[in-house]
């Protein structure tokens, strides 16, 4: 196991629990250790990106479809130390899959979930891998599927934290949509186009954001059978799938660990490297009854507790708090930089402005300040040049600020002038 590499040796059974406990703490400690696989992940916490990285140990995620996208997402989350993964797929590994990432030729013929379990447990034995080898679209497994989602949490009694849909057909997406609406499970959908040069990810929060049927693809909306084109072999590129898997995994980490902005929809056009991001509202006239019921529930919650009703409230608040902290740190850094370069920071009064003009002296011209009555900083730049120095400042030497100028930008510009 990963943590056994720390050489906490013991052969006394009574010490095993203590050893595991010590080792687990050591793995998720802030200490930088080359033999600790979590060191670089915990650095996110030390650097203020994530407040509580270790909480990932208690998260459980279901991945539906362990193909070109799902398998890569599973590997990324496993390497990130997620607590539990439930893998759903009934397909087998084929040589035709070798143009994609993750599976190896010697795994040909194995079920995808068993092959994935083998590989993932080899990468990180701390992550619990649950293989679910059945077709979720068949009605006779609905109860099994429901139980796996509702009791698939880290403790085996509560629902999973998030579902990731990485399938290649609409029927499976509609089944996932129904299950997530029924059991109020947040999920993210993903897809890669048949020509392999575009894809997308989308966040679906039951009742809050649109469900899969609120704004369905044309094939789903018209109810036409999803017939694959005869004689057409869908293309696939490991690059496009890896990019979509990366976006999906990143959005998952942000959602689970409350950092950054959790994207509602990100598209990817590989031909032009275009990443459209859009926001879609739930459709009050959605054809799915359960979706409309969830929307009504959410509306009641909003009426009761305002913006705190939103499932992403914790993420958004954490981001806002972190932004304030970062801004304060940037201001302190700029102040320290200003002191280093002989910059005097004033805090009040536009009257103190000494912006160089045509009639100003050299000293005056080399001293410029600007104020910001909206709580910003004022800077006065004083040259450190001696009497023999070139004191003929030009317009380009002047530094001024406006309300739109950030402190860090200003500090950088001042350094460049120096
Ligand atoms: Zn809907």
């Amino acid at each position: 196991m990963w943590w056994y590499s720390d050489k906490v040796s013991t052969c006394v059974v009574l010490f095993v629990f203590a050893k595991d406990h010590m080792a687990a703490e050591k793995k998720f400690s802030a200490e930088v250790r080359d033999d600790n696989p979590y060191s670089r992940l915990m650095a996110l916490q030390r650097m203020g990106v994530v407040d509580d990285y270790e909480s990932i140990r208690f998260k459980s995620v279901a991945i539906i479809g362990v193909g070109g996208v799902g398998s890569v997402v599973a590997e990324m989350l496993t390497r990130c130390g997620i607590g539990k993964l439930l893998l759903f797929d009934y397909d087998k590994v084929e040589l035709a899959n070798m143009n994609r990432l993750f599976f190896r030729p010697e795994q040909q013929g194995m079920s995808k979930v068993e092959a994935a379990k083998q590989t993932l447990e080899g990468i990180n034995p701390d992550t619990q891998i649950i293989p679910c080898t059945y077709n979720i679209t068949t009605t006779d497994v609905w109860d099994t599927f429901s139980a796996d989602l509702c009791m698939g949490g880290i403790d085996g009694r509560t629902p999973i934290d998030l579902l990731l849909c990485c399938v290649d057909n609409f029927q499976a997406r509609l089944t996932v949509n129904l299950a997530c609406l029924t059991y109020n499970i947040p999920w993210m959908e993903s897809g890669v186009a048949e020509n392999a040069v575009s894809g997308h990810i989308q966040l679906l929060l039951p009742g809050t954001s649109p469900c899969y049927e609120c704004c369905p693809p044309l094939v789903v909306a018209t109810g036409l059978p999803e017939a694959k084109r005869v004689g057409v072999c869908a293309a696939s590129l490991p690059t496009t799938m890896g990019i979509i898997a990366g976006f999906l995994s990143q959005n998952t980490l942000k959602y689970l660990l409350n950092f950054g902005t959790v994207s509602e929809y990100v598209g990817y056009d590989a031909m032009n490297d275009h990443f459209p991001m859009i926001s879609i509202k739930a459709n009050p006239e959605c054809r799915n009854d359960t979706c409309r019921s969830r929307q009504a529930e959410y509306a009641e919650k909003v009426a009761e507790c305002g913006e705190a009703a939103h499932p992403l409230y914790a993420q958004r608040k954490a981001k806002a708090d972190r932004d304030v902290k970062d801004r304060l740190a940037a201001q302190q850094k700029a102040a320290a930089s200003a002191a280093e370069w002989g910059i005097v920071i004033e805090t009040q009064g536009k009257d103190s402005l000494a912006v160089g003009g045509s009639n100003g002296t050299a000293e005056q011209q080399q001293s410029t300040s600007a104020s910001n009555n909206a709580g910003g900083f004022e800077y006065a730049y004083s040259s450190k040049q001696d009497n023999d120095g070139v004191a003929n400042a030009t317009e380009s030497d002047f530094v001024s600020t406006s309300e739109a100028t950030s402190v860090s930008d200003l500090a950088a510009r001042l350094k460049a002038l120096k």
Side-chain angles (χ1 to χ4, degrees), residues 378-411:
E378 298 175 357
Y379 294 86
Y381 173 58
S382 302
S383 172
K384 283 185 175 177
Q385 290 169 345
D386 57 29
N387 293 335
D388 299 326
V390 179
N392 298 320
T394 65
E395 283 295 321
S396 62
D397 291 326
F398 299 155
V399 178
S400 62
T401 64
S402 67
E403 291 183 12
T405 305
S406 76
V407 174
S408 55
D409 286 346
L410 184 63

Side-chain angles (χ1 to χ4, degrees), residues 177 181 210-215 283 286-288 291-292 295:
N177 190 52
L181 282 172
C211 83
Y212 194 70
E213 292 179 78
C214 277
C215 184
N283 178 3
C286 178
R287 68 185 188 182
N288 188 306
C291 177
R292 293 200 308 277
Q295 289 184 47

Side-chain angles (χ1 to χ4, degrees), residues 2-69:
W2 273 6
W3 68 61
Y4 286 171
S5 59
D6 63 5
K7 296 176 184 169
V8 180
S9 62
T10 177
C11 56
V12 182
V13 175
L14 286 175
F15 289 159
V16 167
F17 175 79
K19 185 186 85 171
D20 284 356
H21 181 70
M22 285 167 53
E25 285 199 342
K26 205 169 274 184
K27 276 191 308 182
F28 282 96
S29 74
E31 183 187 3
V32 177
R33 290 169 59 101
D34 287 340
D35 62 350
N36 183 341
Y38 296 107
S39 293
R40 268 60 182 179
L41 295 167
M42 290 304 290
L44 290 166
Q45 195 168 307
R46 282 197 304 279
M47 292 181 175
V49 177
V50 178
D51 288 334
D52 180 14
Y53 190 86
E54 191 178 352
S55 64
I56 200 168
R57 293 173 67 197
F58 309 103
K59 302 296 183 186
S60 176
V61 171
I63 299 178
I64 315 294
V66 190
V69 172

Side-chain angles (χ1 to χ4, degrees), residues 66 87 91-93 102-104 106-122 129 131 133:
V66 190
L87 305 181
D91 219 350
K92 286 186 165 34
V93 179
F102 192 72
F103 291 115
R104 302 188 302 273
E106 66 268 25
Q107 293 175 318
Q108 182 192 3
M110 290 179 73
S111 78
K112 284 184 176 174
V113 291
E114 287 298 342
K117 179 178 166 67
Q118 181 189 63
T119 301
L120 298 174
E121 286 182 345
I129 307 292
T133 317

Side-chain angles (χ1 to χ4, degrees), residues 284-298:
E285 296 175 4
C286 178
R287 68 185 188 182
N288 188 306
D289 296 341
T290 315
C291 177
R292 293 200 308 277
S293 300
R294 291 289 179 201
Q295 289 184 47
E297 282 172 24
Y298 176 61

